[in-house]
Amino acid sequence: MVKKNINMKGGYQMLVKEIMNRDVITVTEENTVEDVIKLLLEHNISGVPVINEEKKVVGIVTEGDIIFRSKKLQIPTYFTILDSYIFLESTKNFENDLKKMVAYKVTDIMTKKVFTVEQEATIEDIATLMTTKKINRIPIVDKGVLVGIVSRRDIIKAYAKE
């Protein structure tokens, strides 16, 4: 049975699985940052999901994560007393930034908090998530396993076909 999604106006709502790219280029946590850079350039894409052995999404690496490596490092404000450093703010962000800036493996540079969407979701659902969370691509899953990816461009193409 084909599931029809009807919106509030009585029109058909396209499902994510109808527009997703099923040939997803992925990497693992053990790949190097250089591997990712080559993939992004070779395939003219701006991000790749990071998957584990079960093809579950554990992270994502984007151009933004790679560009982050070139930013200025913000050292926390501190003062010294008797040859000791007293930091006026947490050093945790500094440590995380430094780790990401010198990363060699994907595990050190990837964004670990990844929003995924089930393939039965509507384009309206995914567009809402993209705009509210300010993200450009979303991995599509079926029972937690990666089955596709949708970018903003995929949504625009779907609107152009309507």
Side-chain angles (χ1 to χ4, degrees), residues 1 17 30 70 75 79 83 114 121 132 149-150 161:
M1 180 170 91
K17 68 181 178 182
E30 292 304 309
S70 297
I75 299 172
F79 63 92
D83 293 331
V114 181
T132 58
I149 194 162
V150 171
K161 289 179 184 177

Side-chain angles (χ1 to χ4, degrees), residues 41-107:
L41 293 173
E42 182 180 317
H43 296 280
N44 195 27
I45 54 178
S46 59
V48 290
V50 182
I51 58 170
N52 62 16
E53 300 81 34
E54 294 87 33
K55 294 192 176 182
K56 296 200 181 220
V57 179
V58 295
I60 196 159
V61 179
T62 66
E63 291 170 329
D65 295 316
I66 293 168
I67 290 170
F68 188 90
R69 296 171 67 185
S70 297
K71 80 174 202 130
K72 284 185 179 181
L73 185 61
Q74 292 295 115
I75 299 172
T77 306
Y78 66 93
F79 63 92
T80 57
I81 296 178
L82 303 175
D83 293 331
S84 295
Y85 294 98
I86 309 294
F87 289 95
L88 300 177
E89 54 194 273
S90 172
T91 59
K92 194 68 177 162
N93 288 339
F94 172 74
E95 291 168 17
N96 291 337
D97 287 355
L98 184 60
K99 184 178 179 182
K100 202 167 186 174
M101 290 173 87
V102 298
Y104 175 72
K105 295 278 188 173
V106 166
T107 192

